[in-house]
Amino acid sequence: MDTKLIAVLGITGTQGSSVATTFLKHNDWRIRGITRNPDSEKATAWAKKGVEIIQGDQDDVESMKRAFRGANAIFAVTDFASNYTKVSKDDALREKAKAMGRSVDEYAADLEQAQGINIVTAAADADVLSTLERFVFSTLPGVKTISGGKYTHAYEFDSKASVENHVRENLPGLSERMSTVTLGIYQETWNGIPAFAPQKDQDGAFFFVRLNWPGPHQTYPRVIASQDTGAFVEALVLHHPPGTDVLGASEIIHTSDYAALWGRVMGVKAGAKDVSDEVFASYIPEEIREPMLEMAKFFVEYGYAGGNPKVKTPAELGIQTTP
């Protein structure tokens, strides 16, 4: 039986590992996992499962081309958080950012954007396109553009959006093969930020803070990314034509309903508490306060996907997610 090949970036990360897990169930697909360090414990674990592991560096276009050659599908993801950590912990990089007049956040976004451009440049190579049928890019909306410059600190969103726009505007061969997944709020890491974690009130009950901000959008897409990213990519590669864009949500839910659900699961009383932007900001760690607060306001005003009608919900595309 002829098999097809999907190349998966971030095979050792949350999104890529979910994609690999899903495609391992398909005997007519082979998986090539791309990682900076093929000898890592996580990478070797994938190799033992039958995944082809190949070295690829997102800072090196040629290594990306080699990793992509022969693939029928590519799942591409970039990582703002790892770039932020790299810059924040490296004195030389912080000094370089300072000399350029860039904050740590801005410079991390610059690095992520450059890596994304390298990825799509490699994917648009003629040799790669000769076999490529589907290119799935993990993206986020361009907050600065959509808000008309009102919100300018959502670096993690804007860096990904700029790469997607680059493909649409400058790489027609890749663009006609591209679909996107806009991942929602990770449930794996939600409790790491107090603004999204349960708080205990004086009466012993729990509450989740909800930003009291004018706007029509009061629900949030929450995703168990380690489980459901694979379902989104599977649908885009196997069941829908290129040009399909999906909102990566396990569930789209109001904060009050989410609090009630969490309370039922935990066996405690829980609800939502409306707070001002000043109070909401106090629940966000200082180093990410400004971008996180702007993103929260953007979600209420424009919706998580920025009001893009092309971005469909999983239900609209018939995608089954984690119950």
Side-chain angles (χ1 to χ4, degrees):
M1 179 176 64
D2 291 337
T3 59
K4 290 189 173 185
L5 174 65
I6 182 169
V8 179
L9 279 166
I11 184 72
T12 61
T14 301
Q15 295 184 41
S17 63
S18 178
V19 175
T21 297
T22 298
F23 274 83
L24 276 175
K25 301 172 186 175
H26 294 279
N27 293 329
D28 53 344
W29 281 84
R30 294 176 291 117
I31 303 165
R32 177 182 294 161
I34 305 168
T35 179
R36 188 187 298 267
N37 181 10
D39 298 321
S40 71
E41 184 177 346
K42 289 183 178 181
T44 54
W46 280 111
K48 291 176 181 178
K49 295 179 181 180
V51 173
E52 176 193 5
I53 297 296
I54 188 170
Q55 196 277 337
D57 186 343
Q58 294 184 11
D59 293 319
D60 181 354
V61 175
E62 292 305 315
S63 80
M64 287 288 97
K65 289 180 183 179
R66 290 191 296 270
F68 290 157
R69 284 192 183 113
N72 304 107
I74 295 171
F75 171 67
V77 59
T78 56
D79 188 354
F80 174 84
S82 65
N83 281 299
Y84 180 88
T85 300
K86 180 171 67 174
V87 176
S88 62
K89 292 184 176 181
D90 189 311
D91 291 341
L93 288 177
R94 288 201 309 274
E95 286 301 317
K96 184 176 181 179
K98 184 178 180 181
M100 296 171 61
R102 307 291 278 172
S103 67
V104 171
D105 302 78
E106 289 173 310
Y107 192 53
D110 292 343
L111 295 179
E112 182 189 25
Q113 179 179 335
Q115 290 171 341
I117 296 298
N118 286 343
I119 290 167
V120 299
T121 298
D125 179 76
D127 285 345
V128 176
L129 287 180
S130 67
T131 61
L132 188 66
E133 300 169 9
R134 304 298 179 90
F135 178 76
V136 179
F137 183 64
S138 180
T139 192
L140 288 170
V143 170
K144 183 177 180 179
T145 299
I146 295 169
S147 70
K150 181 177 181 179
Y151 299 123
T152 61
H153 297 87
Y155 307 113
E156 181 175 4
F157 278 57
D158 289 337
S159 55
K160 292 177 177 64
S162 66
V163 177
E164 178 191 342
N165 291 338
H166 176 71
V167 174
R168 297 193 187 282
E169 295 172 4
N170 302 304
L171 301 174
L174 187 61
S175 180
E176 66 186 21
R177 294 165 169 83
M178 184 170 72
S179 295
T180 68
V181 54
T182 298
L183 263 290
I185 300 170
Y186 274 33
Q187 295 309 280
E188 291 86 349
T189 55
W190 61 273
N191 58 353
I193 301 174
F196 298 106
Q199 307 296 319
K200 196 169 187 178
D201 221 336
Q202 294 178 350
D203 62 0
F206 289 86
F207 67 91
F208 289 77
V209 293
R210 178 172 54 200
L211 177 64
N212 185 13
W213 191 255
H217 303 279
Q218 299 297 327
T219 58
Y220 294 91
R222 298 179 182 268
V223 62
I224 306 175
S226 58
Q227 296 183 35
D228 286 340
T229 305
F232 305 137
V233 176
E234 176 187 46
L236 294 177
V237 171
L238 301 183
H239 304 307
H240 295 280
T244 304
D245 304 305
V246 64
L247 178 62
S250 302
E251 187 163 6
I252 302 169
I253 191 169
H254 197 283
T255 302
S256 58
D257 294 330
Y258 184 82
L261 174 63
W262 181 86
R264 287 196 299 272
V265 171
M266 300 302 294
V268 298
K269 182 180 178 181
K273 179 182 289 188
D274 289 325
V275 297
S276 67
D277 56 336
E278 291 87 356
V279 174
F280 190 85
S282 70
Y283 286 94
I284 304 173
E286 184 176 358
E287 62 271 18
I288 60 171
R289 184 169 296 158
E290 190 169 33
M292 190 67 69
L293 181 59
E294 285 197 359
M295 284 187 279
K297 292 177 178 179
F298 174 85
F299 299 158
V300 175
E301 291 183 44
Y302 300 94
Y304 190 89
N308 185 350
K310 286 186 79 276
V311 178
K312 304 301 182 182
T313 67
E316 289 176 306
L317 295 179
I319 301 173
Q320 295 294 318
T321 58
T322 301

